[in-house]
Amino acid sequence: MSSALRLDNPLSSPDYKSDPRYLALSHCWGVNGIPISQTLTKDKLEQWDKYIPENELPLNFKDAIVFTRWIGVHYIWIDSLCIVQNDRDDWERESKKMWKVYAYAYCTISSTGSADANGGCFHERSPLQQFPCHLRYSKRATLSIRAKADTYNANSFTSEVDEGPLSQRAWVFQERLLSRRIVHFGAKFLFFECGTQFASEVITHAVKYVPTQDTDSKEARRAKILNLHKCWFELVAKYTAAKLKMESDRMVAILGIAQYIQGDSKGLHYLHGLWQRHLLLDLLWCLKSSPTTRIALPTPSWSWGSVNGEI
């Protein structure tokens, strides 16, 4: 495996007969964003096709690249390195299919414990979390220092992942939901999550999700319709509670989830954040806080996407 880092489009090569395995990075840009020198711009396209100066990249990127090499994967997708940042047309084109990047990735690397691009995936932490320190040791007695028994507890996944700095970003909502499997690099612990189970470096025996039995009765089909309405607005509530740097991205950053739900079904039709099948129910949304100004977007006033704030 080459140690050089460069831009590549493997699908354009005649040597590839199927989609290559790749990883995707989910991360926070930070309040101040990422310096333009560390992102892909039009003037760097030709140079980066040959070589990307790895040492000049943010720590999140460098750590994710190291991890990708460690597990023997040749490709990684990072938004600011794979989308031309000063080309609006490229952004419009890529943002609409960004959900597929995460849905089709072999694994998503989530820099869950970092609030900006230089936080890194690998965090310094007390070795006492894993290994006791033996101050004195003999055949009869041992004097040791250990981490507190509640260092890792039942709420660790919630506090590290669900309430971590990365999960406060609205774009990350669909990245996490659509990824088939994720390695979360938290501030204290390492977690694994997929559509059927989750685990950690402490709880290595995965906690499994067991789906309920389904039937094709009329009542079951009616329940499915109401279920979609209920589940969708649970997602909308969580999504709109997260932060967006650009209010113009409000409907784009959740579009991938809607497209994934809709799939090839002819019975489901997505309408500006609502579903035609149960439109009357979906219209019963309201702002959790006081009314705010309308977003300057071509979004109908009856859609929750036309206003700022938590729904």
Side-chain angles (χ1 to χ4, degrees), residues 112 154-169 172-173 176 184 191 193 198 238 242:
T112 309
N155 295 321
S156 289
F157 186 86
T158 299
S159 60
E160 289 252 4
V161 178
D162 295 333
E163 298 172 1
L166 183 60
S167 293
Q168 308 311 309
R169 285 187 59 236
V172 171
F173 188 77
R176 180 180 171 191
H184 291 282
F191 300 91
E193 179 183 26
F198 76 90
K238 291 179 180 178

CSV table of all heavy atoms in Angstrom, one decimal, residues 112 154-169 172-173 176 184 191 193 198 238 242:
chain,number,residue,atom,x,y,z
A,112,THR,N,-15.9,11.7,17.4
A,112,THR,CA,-17.0,12.1,18.3
A,112,THR,C,-16.6,13.1,19.4
A,112,THR,O,-17.4,13.9,19.8
A,112,THR,CB,-17.6,10.8,18.8
A,112,THR,OG1,-17.9,9.9,17.8
A,112,THR,CG2,-18.9,11.1,19.6
A,154,ALA,N,-23.4,2.8,32.4
A,154,ALA,CA,-24.5,2.6,31.4
A,154,ALA,C,-24.8,3.9,30.6
A,154,ALA,O,-25.3,3.8,29.5
A,154,ALA,CB,-25.8,2.2,32.2
A,155,ASN,N,-24.4,5.1,31.1
A,155,ASN,CA,-24.6,6.3,30.4
A,155,ASN,C,-23.4,6.8,29.6
A,155,ASN,O,-23.5,7.9,29.0
A,155,ASN,CB,-25.0,7.4,31.4
A,155,ASN,CG,-26.3,7.1,32.2
A,155,ASN,OD1,-27.2,6.7,31.6
A,155,ASN,ND2,-26.3,7.4,33.5
A,156,SER,N,-22.4,6.0,29.6
A,156,SER,CA,-21.2,6.4,28.9
A,156,SER,C,-21.4,6.6,27.4
A,156,SER,O,-20.9,7.6,26.8
A,156,SER,CB,-20.0,5.4,29.1
A,156,SER,OG,-19.6,5.5,30.4
A,157,PHE,N,-22.2,5.7,26.7
A,157,PHE,CA,-22.5,5.9,25.3
A,157,PHE,C,-23.3,7.2,25.1
A,157,PHE,O,-23.0,7.9,24.1
A,157,PHE,CB,-23.2,4.7,24.8
A,157,PHE,CG,-23.4,4.7,23.3
A,157,PHE,CD1,-22.4,4.2,22.4
A,157,PHE,CD2,-24.6,5.2,22.7
A,157,PHE,CE1,-22.6,4.2,21.1
A,157,PHE,CE2,-24.7,5.2,21.4
A,157,PHE,CZ,-23.8,4.7,20.5
A,158,THR,N,-24.2,7.4,25.9
A,158,THR,CA,-25.1,8.6,25.8
A,158,THR,C,-24.3,9.9,25.9
A,158,THR,O,-24.3,10.8,25.1
A,158,THR,CB,-26.2,8.6,26.8
A,158,THR,OG1,-27.0,7.4,26.6
A,158,THR,CG2,-27.1,9.8,26.7
A,159,SER,N,-23.5,9.9,27.0
A,159,SER,CA,-22.7,11.1,27.3
A,159,SER,C,-21.6,11.4,26.3
A,159,SER,O,-21.3,12.5,25.9
A,159,SER,CB,-22.1,11.1,28.7
A,159,SER,OG,-21.3,10.0,28.9
A,160,GLU,N,-20.9,10.3,25.8
A,160,GLU,CA,-19.8,10.4,24.9
A,160,GLU,C,-20.2,10.6,23.5
A,160,GLU,O,-19.6,11.4,22.7
A,160,GLU,CB,-18.9,9.2,25.0
A,160,GLU,CG,-18.1,9.1,26.3
A,160,GLU,CD,-16.7,9.4,26.2
A,160,GLU,OE1,-16.2,9.7,25.1
A,160,GLU,OE2,-16.0,9.3,27.2
A,161,VAL,N,-21.3,9.9,23.1
A,161,VAL,CA,-21.7,9.9,21.7
A,161,VAL,C,-22.9,10.8,21.4
A,161,VAL,O,-22.8,11.8,20.7
A,161,VAL,CB,-22.0,8.5,21.2
A,161,VAL,CG1,-22.5,8.5,19.7
A,161,VAL,CG2,-20.8,7.6,21.3
A,162,ASP,N,-24.0,10.5,22.1
A,162,ASP,CA,-25.2,11.3,21.8
A,162,ASP,C,-25.1,12.7,22.3
A,162,ASP,O,-25.7,13.6,21.7
A,162,ASP,CB,-26.4,10.6,22.6
A,162,ASP,CG,-26.8,9.3,22.0
A,162,ASP,OD1,-26.5,9.0,20.9
A,162,ASP,OD2,-27.3,8.4,22.8
A,163,GLU,N,-24.3,13.0,23.3
A,163,GLU,CA,-24.2,14.3,23.9
A,163,GLU,C,-22.8,14.9,23.6
A,163,GLU,O,-22.5,16.0,24.1
A,163,GLU,CB,-24.5,14.3,25.4
A,163,GLU,CG,-25.9,13.9,25.7
A,163,GLU,CD,-26.2,13.7,27.2
A,163,GLU,OE1,-25.2,14.0,28.0
A,163,GLU,OE2,-27.3,13.4,27.6
A,164,GLY,N,-22.0,14.2,22.8
A,164,GLY,CA,-20.7,14.7,22.4
A,164,GLY,C,-20.8,15.9,21.5
A,164,GLY,O,-21.8,16.2,20.9
A,165,PRO,N,-19.6,16.6,21.3
A,165,PRO,CA,-19.6,17.8,20.5
A,165,PRO,C,-20.0,17.6,19.1
A,165,PRO,O,-20.7,18.4,18.4
A,165,PRO,CB,-18.2,18.3,20.6
A,165,PRO,CG,-17.4,17.2,21.2
A,165,PRO,CD,-18.3,16.4,22.0
A,166,LEU,N,-19.7,16.4,18.5
A,166,LEU,CA,-20.0,16.1,17.1
A,166,LEU,C,-21.5,16.0,16.9
A,166,LEU,O,-22.0,16.4,15.9
A,166,LEU,CB,-19.2,14.8,16.7
A,166,LEU,CG,-19.4,14.5,15.2
A,166,LEU,CD1,-18.9,15.5,14.2
A,166,LEU,CD2,-18.7,13.1,14.9
A,167,SER,N,-22.2,15.4,17.8
A,167,SER,CA,-23.6,15.1,17.7
A,167,SER,C,-24.4,16.4,17.7
A,167,SER,O,-25.6,16.4,17.5
A,167,SER,CB,-24.1,14.2,18.8
A,167,SER,OG,-23.5,12.9,18.5
A,168,GLN,N,-23.8,17.5,18.1
A,168,GLN,CA,-24.5,18.8,18.1
A,168,GLN,C,-24.6,19.4,16.7
A,168,GLN,O,-25.3,20.4,16.5
A,168,GLN,CB,-23.8,19.8,19.0
A,168,GLN,CG,-23.5,19.3,20.4
A,168,GLN,CD,-24.7,18.6,21.1
A,168,GLN,OE1,-25.8,19.2,21.1
A,168,GLN,NE2,-24.6,17.4,21.6
A,169,ARG,N,-24.0,18.8,15.7
A,169,ARG,CA,-24.0,19.3,14.3
A,169,ARG,C,-25.1,18.7,13.6
A,169,ARG,O,-25.3,17.4,13.6
A,169,ARG,CB,-22.7,19.1,13.6
A,169,ARG,CG,-21.5,20.0,14.0
A,169,ARG,CD,-20.3,19.7,13.1
A,169,ARG,NE,-20.6,19.9,11.7
A,169,ARG,CZ,-20.5,19.0,10.8
A,169,ARG,NH1,-20.0,17.8,11.0
A,169,ARG,NH2,-20.8,19.3,9.5
A,172,VAL,N,-24.2,16.0,10.9
A,172,VAL,CA,-23.8,14.7,11.4
A,172,VAL,C,-25.0,13.8,11.6
A,172,VAL,O,-24.9,12.6,11.6
A,172,VAL,CB,-23.0,14.9,12.7
A,172,VAL,CG1,-22.7,13.6,13.4
A,172,VAL,CG2,-21.7,15.6,12.4
A,173,PHE,N,-26.2,14.4,11.8
A,173,PHE,CA,-27.4,13.6,12.1
A,173,PHE,C,-27.6,12.5,11.0
A,173,PHE,O,-27.8,11.3,11.3
A,173,PHE,CB,-28.6,14.5,12.2
A,173,PHE,CG,-29.8,13.8,12.7
A,173,PHE,CD1,-30.0,13.6,14.0
A,173,PHE,CD2,-30.8,13.5,11.8
A,173,PHE,CE1,-31.1,12.9,14.5
A,173,PHE,CE2,-32.0,12.9,12.2
A,173,PHE,CZ,-32.1,12.6,13.6
A,176,ARG,N,-24.6,9.9,10.7
A,176,ARG,CA,-24.6,8.8,11.7
A,176,ARG,C,-25.7,7.8,11.4
A,176,ARG,O,-25.6,6.6,11.4
A,176,ARG,CB,-24.8,9.4,13.1
A,176,ARG,CG,-24.8,8.3,14.2
A,176,ARG,CD,-25.0,8.9,15.5
A,176,ARG,NE,-25.2,7.9,16.5
A,176,ARG,CZ,-25.6,8.2,17.8
A,176,ARG,NH1,-25.8,9.4,18.2
A,176,ARG,NH2,-25.8,7.2,18.6
A,184,HIS,N,-16.7,5.1,16.8
A,184,HIS,CA,-16.8,6.4,17.5
A,184,HIS,C,-15.5,6.6,18.4
A,184,HIS,O,-15.3,5.8,19.3
A,184,HIS,CB,-18.0,6.5,18.4
A,184,HIS,CG,-19.3,6.6,17.7
A,184,HIS,ND1,-19.8,7.8,17.2
A,184,HIS,CD2,-20.2,5.7,17.5
A,184,HIS,CE1,-21.0,7.5,16.6
A,184,HIS,NE2,-21.3,6.3,16.8
A,191,PHE,N,-16.1,3.4,20.8
A,191,PHE,CA,-17.4,2.7,20.7
A,191,PHE,C,-17.5,2.2,19.2
A,191,PHE,O,-17.0,2.8,18.3
A,191,PHE,CB,-18.5,3.7,21.0
A,191,PHE,CG,-18.5,4.2,22.4
A,191,PHE,CD1,-17.9,5.4,22.7
A,191,PHE,CD2,-19.1,3.5,23.4
A,191,PHE,CE1,-17.9,5.9,23.9
A,191,PHE,CE2,-19.1,4.1,24.7
A,191,PHE,CZ,-18.5,5.3,25.0
A,193,GLU,N,-20.8,1.1,16.6
A,193,GLU,CA,-22.2,1.2,16.4
A,193,GLU,C,-22.6,0.8,15.0
A,193,GLU,O,-21.9,1.1,14.0
A,193,GLU,CB,-22.7,2.6,16.7
A,193,GLU,CG,-24.2,2.8,16.5
A,193,GLU,CD,-24.6,4.3,16.7
A,193,GLU,OE1,-23.8,5.2,16.5
A,193,GLU,OE2,-25.8,4.5,17.1
A,198,PHE,N,-24.5,-2.3,19.3
A,198,PHE,CA,-23.4,-1.4,19.6
A,198,PHE,C,-22.6,-2.0,20.7
A,198,PHE,O,-23.0,-2.9,21.4
A,198,PHE,CB,-23.9,0.0,20.1
A,198,PHE,CG,-24.5,0.0,21.5
A,198,PHE,CD1,-23.7,0.3,22.6
A,198,PHE,CD2,-25.8,-0.2,21.7
A,198,PHE,CE1,-24.2,0.3,23.9
A,198,PHE,CE2,-26.3,-0.2,23.0
A,198,PHE,CZ,-25.5,0.1,24.1
A,238,LYS,N,-35.0,15.9,16.8
A,238,LYS,CA,-33.6,15.8,17.2
A,238,LYS,C,-32.7,16.5,16.2
A,238,LYS,O,-31.8,17.2,16.5
A,238,LYS,CB,-33.2,14.3,17.2
A,238,LYS,CG,-33.8,13.5,18.4
A,238,LYS,CD,-33.4,12.1,18.3
A,238,LYS,CE,-34.0,11.3,19.5
A,238,LYS,NZ,-33.6,9.9,19.5
A,242,ALA,N,-30.2,20.4,16.6
A,242,ALA,CA,-28.7,20.5,16.4
A,242,ALA,C,-28.4,21.8,15.6
A,242,ALA,O,-29.3,22.5,15.2
A,242,ALA,CB,-28.3,19.3,15.5
